[in-house]
Structure formats: structure tokens, C-alpha cells
Amino acid sequence: MKARHVPPHDPYAAILTQTDQHRASHGCWAYPFRDGPALGVLAATTGARRILELGTALGYSACWLASGAMAAQVDTIERDPEHSRLARANFASCGLGDRVNLIEGDFDDVLPTLETGYDLAFIDGYAPSIGQLGQVRRLLRHRGVLVTANLDLQDGQKARSALLQPDDWMTAPLLEGGRTTVSVAL
């Protein structure tokens, strides 16, 4: 008999459900990145101490990033006050409130205020602009890792092209059938 693959237990599955229910009632664009375990593995394998996330929604991916790198501080940016409120409650209920710092504001306003030296960054709010990619590149340490989602969206092609520049990034389309890339800052 052929063995079946059983997905691992997802300790944050309730946040996925909550986000889907919230999106339906709120009419917003809060779509959680569904491969949380991959983010946890990337956070663990990079040995990340500082992690940056663009697009918190209700906190699913930030929880995975924080649990993957148990010694890391996660800074996550969210512009929607209701999402921020719900995400903070989720971080607290998961025991991660002391390691996840939610910053309210637009990416373009917040990114220039952050200090450099991040080990890992995750962009999931929407397809990033070229300016946002430049800001994240500035914030990452040399050889830091960037996970970029939503590259299949209309604006994603410009970001994908920028991530394929061999002088700046080493990039592979590793997740979600190529919709999401993993890059190393050169």
C-alpha cells in the first residue's frame, strides 16, 4: 500500500480561518500566505535574529517566522488598524507578543525609518514596487534572504525582473508554482 503524505500539524491554522472569515465580512484584501511552514523552515535555516515582514494581515505568517527562528525579533508592517488590532491579539494568544513588533503604517513611510541588518525579509502585502524592493535590499544584511510573494499580480512582473538582476540578487522561484521567489541579497 502506498504511503500517503500527511501534512504537519499547523499550530496557527485558527489564524488562517479567522483571516478568511474576516476578509469575507470586512471586504478587505487580507489573504494569508498559505505556506507558513515554509516560512518557518526558512527562518530556522537562515539562523535569523532579525526578521522583517511587509503585510501582517492577521498575523499568520509572522507567527510562523517567529516560531521558526526562536531567537528572532520580527518587525511586521500593517497599515489597516483593524488588522493590526486582530494581529496583536493573535500574537499575544500564541505567546509571541514579546517577539513580534507590529508597526502600523504604509510601507513607503515605515521602511526608510528602519535600521539595517535584517537577516530575512518577507514581502506579502501585494506585489512590491521597485522602490520598496530597494528599501528592503538596503535593510537586509549582505547575503540576507528575501521571500517575495504575489509576483503573479499585475505589478509583480517589474519586481520579478528586478529580483533577477544578478548583481543585486540570487533568485529562485521556489514557492507557489513560481508566484513566490526566494532571493539572496548580494
Side-chain angles (χ1 to χ4, degrees):
M1 176 177 249
K2 185 177 177 182
R4 292 186 314 172
H5 172 71
V6 178
H9 170 68
D10 184 346
Y12 309 114
I15 300 173
L16 279 178
T17 302
Q18 178 191 25
T19 305
D20 290 339
Q21 292 170 347
H22 171 79
R23 183 179 62 255
S25 66
H26 192 229
C28 62
W29 288 89
Y31 287 91
F33 185 76
R34 298 269 177 196
D35 199 350
L39 294 177
V41 167
L42 285 167
T45 58
T46 61
R49 306 288 284 175
R50 291 183 66 213
I51 300 172
L52 175 63
E53 178 186 41
L54 281 68
T56 312
L58 275 60
Y60 178 74
S61 51
C63 287
W64 269 107
L65 290 164
S67 64
M70 296 300 291
Q73 177 68 39
V74 178
D75 292 331
T76 182
I77 306 169
E78 176 59 51
R79 70 176 175 190
D80 186 291
E82 179 67 5
H83 296 172
S84 297
R85 183 185 69 75
L86 293 168
R88 283 188 179 104
N90 286 331
F91 300 147
S93 71
C94 293
L96 299 169
D98 61 330
R99 292 195 308 112
V100 179
N101 174 42
L102 194 148
I103 305 164
E104 282 189 52
D106 290 325
F107 302 156
D108 292 332
D109 296 331
V110 174
L111 290 172
T113 70
L114 300 176
E115 292 185 30
T116 62
Y118 286 96
D119 304 299
L120 174 64
F122 175 50
I123 302 176
D124 188 37
Y126 44 80
S129 70
I130 299 302
Q132 290 163 351
L133 276 179
Q135 283 290 334
V136 171
R137 174 65 187 89
R138 177 188 68 80
L139 292 168
L140 280 170
R141 66 169 168 76
H142 178 69
R143 307 293 283 177
V145 174
L146 171 62
V147 180
T148 311
N150 302 313
L151 293 175
D152 62 329
L153 299 177
Q154 184 175 359
D155 295 338
Q157 293 306 315
K158 291 179 185 175
R160 182 184 299 279
S161 293
L163 290 168
L164 293 173
Q165 296 304 310
D167 292 337
D168 297 324
W169 301 100
M170 181 184 342
T171 298
L174 294 180
L175 302 169
E176 298 186 308
R179 292 181 55 221
T180 298
T181 60
V182 177
S183 306
V184 174
L186 302 177

